[in-house]
Amino acid sequence: MNNKKKKILIVLQFIRRGGVKLVALNFAQNLDRDKYDISILLVAPDEHQKNDLLKEVQESGIKIISFPKKYKIL
């Protein structure tokens, strides 16, 4: 039996409370960490960022990856 964790990457523009972003964060925070390795890629982390929510997500064991600012895609 394969006990290897499945990797999930959720791509968001930035983190804030409300809408699709909040749904994605709730989804990620409620997945079984024994089965899934969860990461969130933020493609525009400096705009409208909610640092209290970012800290809460990181404390829940979800890895946050910020897209380098020099590669503006949005």
Side-chain angles (χ1 to χ4, degrees), residues 15-17 22 25-26 28-30 33 40 49-64:
I15 288 181
R16 70 174 173 194
R17 295 189 191 277
L22 187 57
L25 294 175
N26 285 334
Q29 289 176 317
N30 288 295
R33 297 300 187 307
I40 295 177
Q49 192 68 48
K50 297 293 184 189
N51 290 326
D52 60 327
L53 185 55
L54 181 64
K55 184 178 177 182
E56 178 184 322
V57 171
Q58 288 174 317
E59 287 174 353
S60 72
I62 296 172
K63 182 178 179 183
I64 302 291

